[in-house]
Amino acid sequence: MTLARLTEVLAPAVASGVGLGAFNVFSIEHAEAFAAAAEAAGTPVVLQISQNAVRYHGALAPIAQATLTLAGSAAVPVVVHLDHATDASLVDEAIALGLGSVMFDASPMPYAENVAATAAVVRRCHEGGLDAEAELGEIGGKDGVHAAGARTRPEEARAFVEATGVDALAVAVGTSHAMTERRVALDLELISALHAAVPVPLVLHGSSGVPDEELVRAVQAGMTKINIATHLNHVFTDSVRATLADNPSMVDSRKYLGPARDAIAAEAERLLRLMNQ
Ligand code: CO
Ligand code: CO
């Protein structure tokens, strides 16, 4: 059944004022865990493969096809999404593979170039039957530097969406990527202003640095797609580290990957329930 396009799961989330969890897949264990978490929570989910993860594997197709297979047999709608693509040929590959959406990240470019590059990708995605997310107001941290100071201006965001035809917009409201502690305070007034000004669903990147209560407030203020990668990575790696520390002679990788998969499935399910209350 249930491979979905991004807009198919965003629209009902916006209508009922809940969040849509978007979690990053690094290996097949992540895809298995997040599909199971969504089934347990009874919610849709977005399984994201970033351009950095593609670089790690050396190709998009193997990890994408495994993720698409898992998504297609899930009992809830699952979107397989290419995250933070800057390479247009990778977008074409995602279209050919049948992913549900692409996030094209031209946010470091000057405004006019971001608009032109994003509009071209959006057109290709729509022709190929995919939805497209873009970013305005560079959200820091992907270079390892925490720059949570960037802010997206509501009027510019509205104009950007109109000029590009994008289906969802990532905005800078106080988060930064790759945060390993959950203590960020978001600019909730700006989220409300963006939600009022922008005609498409908003996306929060760098949500790993945001504590539970603040995630709930972000959704209430008008955030819909909530991207969480580093926090779940933390949970996965803590589990592996603990298992290996307790079992120094362990050899079978399944014996430490299995508990780590269970740990991120439980945490992802908890986050999906939190965002869907
Ligand atoms: Co991001
Ligand atoms: Co609303």
Side-chain angles (χ1 to χ4, degrees), residues 5-97:
R5 280 176 70 151
L6 186 59
T7 50
E8 290 172 335
V9 295
L10 277 174
V14 169
S16 42
V18 297
L20 171 67
F23 307 134
N24 282 62
V25 170
F26 302 112
S27 69
I28 194 170
E29 283 81 1
H30 296 80
E32 291 163 346
F34 302 147
E39 286 182 336
T43 67
V45 72
V46 182
L47 304 185
Q48 316 202 124
I49 302 164
S50 68
Q51 185 169 313
N52 285 338
V54 172
R55 188 174 303 128
Y56 164 73
H57 286 291
L60 173 61
I63 186 75
Q65 280 169 337
T67 304
L68 285 162
T69 301
L70 285 160
S73 59
V76 291
V78 181
V79 182
V80 181
H81 173 92
L82 176 64
D83 191 29
H84 283 287
T86 55
D87 177 349
S89 69
L90 197 57
V91 174
D92 290 335
E93 214 182 317
I95 294 170
L97 285 163

Side-chain angles (χ1 to χ4, degrees), residues 14-15 17 195 219-222:
V14 169
H195 179 55
V219 170
Q220 287 166 348

Side-chain angles (χ1 to χ4, degrees), residues 83-84 177 205-206 227:
D83 191 29
H84 283 287
H177 285 99
H205 282 241
N227 288 12

Side-chain angles (χ1 to χ4, degrees), residues 36-242:
E39 286 182 336
T43 67
V45 72
V46 182
L47 304 185
Q48 316 202 124
I49 302 164
S50 68
Q51 185 169 313
N52 285 338
V54 172
R55 188 174 303 128
Y56 164 73
H57 286 291
L60 173 61
I63 186 75
Q65 280 169 337
T67 304
L68 285 162
T69 301
L70 285 160
S73 59
V76 291
V78 181
V79 182
V80 181
H81 173 92
L82 176 64
D83 191 29
H84 283 287
T86 55
D87 177 349
S89 69
L90 197 57
V91 174
D92 290 335
E93 214 182 317
I95 294 170
L97 285 163
L99 271 65
S101 52
V102 160
M103 188 261 188
F104 185 70
D105 185 2
S107 63
M109 292 182 186
Y111 180 82
E113 287 169 51
N114 187 349
V115 167
T118 301
V121 167
V122 171
R123 231 176 0 254
R124 282 221 302 286
C125 285
H126 287 172
E127 284 165 11
L130 279 74
D131 297 319
E133 174 187 330
E135 178 172 320
L136 182 66
E138 191 178 1
I139 302 157
K142 292 198 65 70
D143 49 5
V145 180
H146 293 303
R151 293 291 186 275
T152 305
R153 296 205 308 275
E155 284 317 304
E156 193 171 81
R158 187 215 309 262
F160 181 85
V161 168
E162 280 166 7
T164 58
V166 77
D167 302 293
L169 186 67
V171 289
V173 293
T175 57
S176 175
H177 285 99
M179 301 199 78
T180 52
E181 284 181 65
R182 301 177 79 211
R183 59 180 185 201
V184 164
L186 296 168
D187 194 335
L188 294 167
E189 277 180 35
L190 178 57
I191 294 173
S192 298
L194 287 161
H195 179 55
V198 175
V200 297
L202 300 176
V203 185
L204 186 64
H205 282 241
S207 314
S208 290
V210 183
D212 283 354
E213 346 42 280
E214 195 74 350
L215 278 183
V216 170
R217 284 192 283 264
V219 170
Q220 287 166 348
M223 274 292 170
T224 303
K225 179 169 175 273
I226 308 291
N227 288 12
I228 301 178
T230 301
H231 169 63
L232 290 161
N233 227 346
H234 209 152
V235 170
F236 189 93
T237 304
D238 280 350
S239 168
V240 171
R241 194 178 279 120

